[in-house]
Structure formats: structure tokens, C-alpha cells
Amino acid sequence: MRRALNILLAALIVALVAFAPGQLTGQVGHAEDRVTVRGNYYRETSTRVLQPMVTFRKELPDERLTLEAEYLLDVISSASIGAGALALGGDRVFTEMRHETSLRASTKIEDWSATAFYRYSTETDYTGNNFGFGVSREFLQKTANVSLSYSTSFDRAFRITNNIGANSPWLSSGDTNLLRIHYLSAGYSHVLTKHLVAGVNLEGIHAEGPQDNPYRRARNGDAEIHPWQRTRGAASVWARYAIPKAKMALEPRYRFYADNWSVEAHAIDLRAHFRPIKHLQMRLRYRYYTQSEAYFWRNDGVWDIDYPWRSDDPKMTHFWSHTVGGRLIWELDGVSKFQGLGWLDGAWIEATYNHAFVRCKELSSVCIDQDFGYGTVRSTRFGDHRIGNLAFSLAF
Amino acid sequence: MRATCLARPLALVTVVFLGVAPSACVTVSPHERGVLAQPEMDPAGDGLEETFHSHIESAREAGFGGHGASGGGCGCG
């Protein structure tokens, strides 16, 4: 009798563990655990980045607790021209690697969601610790969403001082190599009609510490020194509008950015999503970006001798860019119906390509006439660039 | 710090919010959200791709990417 009671008690505990989570909320979706491998590629005149990454996501046992782990490797080569790494021996090809690991925990209970993450990044001359949290809540029968997130970084910058990898802390104009960054974001989105969802986002960021490239020299030969503090703000609006008869959705975005280095930027991003057949998603994209120059930028590379700042950073000058791109996602649910391929249910393959045409007007050390294979154009020293991704995601 | 740094973004959001607010109480019933449930209508669907683009933009543009504080330099800034 006692043995039977023990078995009954054990069965009851097992049943509670197995089924209670679903009963508590009454609206828990089935768990979707997923592993995604992705290869990112970036190429410009002087820099090539290969970035393999893997993301593992596990729901325990459902969306009320989701854990995510990610590892990525940045393999950066030929960075010497763009980074102005004359101190390392001039214009020569070199390769460096950056390792990044991230851990993320998130939860969704009823109308509330919360997430927290930690990310660690390390490379030869830079380490980064970044952590943060966010919370969001749905209102009006889940048609409105308000979100708030905060994250902070503690990064350390170093300067490699010889060709066998010795380094020293990079202090810039301060007395520490610590770069502290605080980031705050607030968002609101709303389902406006049965075909239209739209939202607004507001971001603020404050950074204090070395924010210049320790290897780059200004045109007059002085070390690049940027201001120690930077406060940045951005506001963006977006919408997604579905046109079911055309099997497409339109996605316009606009983002305005301003900071206390006098840089103002506008980015307009237009995307069109198509679904020509059931399991194939296509996306076309056009992005226009323009920014003004920082207040300490000088096209002629001449500063007053007692002026504290120097820069040879192409992203501190006025320029604009046009980016065109496309993306294909093949959902493998259809394939999974074949015998032996059931494991592909929920899997997808993604391929993305973007090409950015970067242009500038005033000749300077960073705005020069170049030929990228389609005639001479005036572009920044970074130049036109290509971005590609290949990804495979598997649900299990 | 220039006053425009945060004032302009705030002004833009305010204008948009006032534009959206009149329709903000319109509730679309759950049974009318079939189209909105499509992956292409999910703003979070592009997350991993956006993270990489954001990293590139942070290294190549002065306007930062928008996915949190940077997780380290890429050695090419």
C-alpha cells in the first residue's frame, strides 16, 4: 500500500512538472528550441570581415523562460589602410580576430516580457563587457506594446606597440583606458489596422572614455584625439503595411540622429517583402543615409596649435550613402514532409546581400576620388562596401 | 551639449505620437490579425541580421546602430 502511494505521489509530481506550466497561464505556445548558424561577410576597399556565429535558444519549458547563448568570431583582415595603422608598419595586410559570447535570458508571462543579457567581447587590443535588461508590456488586447531597455558597457582600449603583440592601455586625452557607455531605449508600437502596424523608438546613449582610434594619425601627423564625452540621441519611426492581394508587405523606416559632436544624421530605409510562393520570402531594400561632419573635423587637416582635438576618421566627415539589397528566406516546412526529413520542420535558410555606395563632396584626406570598378567616384576612404549573410536555422 | 541633441528626436517622436494617438484606441480583434501574424510583419524577425548591420553601421557611420551599447571595437573603426 505504501509503495503504491509513493508511486502515485511520484506520478503526481511528474504530471505537475509536465503539465502545470501550461495550465498556469492558459495561453502558452508550444516550445520552440532553435539553433541558428550564420556567416556574415563584409568587404570594402581596405577591410574584409568574416563573421561566423552560432546562436542556441532553449525554452524551459516554454516562453516563460527562454535562454539564449551565442558565440561569434570576427575575422578582420587588411584593416591597415582604413584604420591608418602606420604605427604598426604601414600599409600591410594583417588579420585579427575578435571573439564575442552572449548569454540572454528572457521571460514572457501574460502581457509582460522581460529580458536580461551579458556580452563579452575580446580581441588583441580591445575588451568589452556589456550587460543590460529590458521590459515590455502589451496593452489593448495585445495591439499596443510599450518597451523600455537599458544597457551599459565597460570597455578597455589598448594600443599594440610592436609587431609581436605587446600593448599598452590607450588613454587618449584622459587618464584611463576605460570607456563607459550607457544606453537607454524606449519604444511604442501599435496595431493600427488589420494590415498595418507602426511604432516609434527613442534612444539615448552617453559615452565617456577614449573614443578615437589609437593607431590613426591626423593629416598633420598628430595622434587622433576625439573628445572624451559623447551624448547621442536618436528617434525613429517605422511601419509595416501588408497588401495581401499582392502577397507583399511594405516597411518604411526613418531615423533621425544627433549628438553633441554636432553630427546629425538621417536614415531612410524602405523595404518590400514578397511571398511569391508559400515557403519563400523575398525582400528588396533601399537605404539612404546622410550625416553632417563633427565640429572638430577639418577638411584641410589644419587645426590651431592649441586646439585639443584631431581626427582622421572618415565617419567624422560629411558623407551620404545609398544601399540596395535583397534577401531570400526559404522555409523548409514543405521539404520536411518528405520521409526522413521531418527534422527540417520549422527550419529555414536565409541569404542576404547589400551593396552600399558611399559618396562625399569636399576633397580631404578621407574623401578621395576612387574607382571601385564602375568609374571614378568621390567616396570616403572606407569606400563602397558589400554586406552578405548566409544562415541556416533549425528548430528542435 | 547642443540643445538639438535630444530635443529634435523628442520633438519628432511627439509629432508622430500625436499623429498616431487618435487611432490608438482602435483595437483590431484577434481574429482579424491573421495577416499581422505573417513573419514578414514581425518587427523582431530580422533581429540577428540587424545586429550585424548595426555593428557595421557603428564602425562606418557616426549615427550608431541602435542595438544597445557596442560590445567591443572591431579594430577597424
Side-chain angles (χ1 to χ4, degrees), chain B residues 50-67:
Chain B
E50 293 295 331
T51 302
F52 181 63
H53 284 193
S54 176
H55 187 64
I56 295 295
E57 288 160 10
S58 298
R60 290 294 175 260
E61 298 171 353
F64 65 98
H67 286 270

Side-chain angles (χ1 to χ4, degrees), chain A residues 76 121 123 141 190 232 240 283, chain B residues 24 33 40 62 71 73-74:
Chain A
I76 305 154
S121 168
E123 60 194 289
Q141 297 178 37
H190 199 105
R232 322 165 94 179
R240 291 199 182 208
R283 189 190 72 196
Chain B
R33 296 178 202 163
E40 46 269 41
C74 68

Side-chain angles (χ1 to χ4, degrees), chain A residues 278-333:
Chain A
K278 188 178 177 186
H279 293 299
L280 184 67
Q281 292 182 50
M282 294 173 62
R283 189 190 72 196
L284 296 175
R285 176 194 188 208
Y286 168 74
R287 177 178 186 260
Y288 174 73
Y289 173 82
T290 182
Q291 69 166 65
S292 61
E293 65 185 28
Y295 71 86
F296 51 83
W297 178 258
R298 302 288 185 274
N299 278 329
D300 58 6
V302 177
W303 290 265
D304 291 340
I305 197 162
D306 57 347
Y307 195 75
W309 318 124
R310 303 283 188 275
S311 182
D312 197 45
D313 186 349
K315 61 180 178 288
M316 291 298 119
T317 188
H318 164 58
F319 71 89
W320 63 95
S321 66
H322 304 272
T323 303
V324 292
R327 185 183 73 174
L328 285 175
I329 296 180
W330 182 24
E331 299 161 349
L332 299 176
D333 300 300

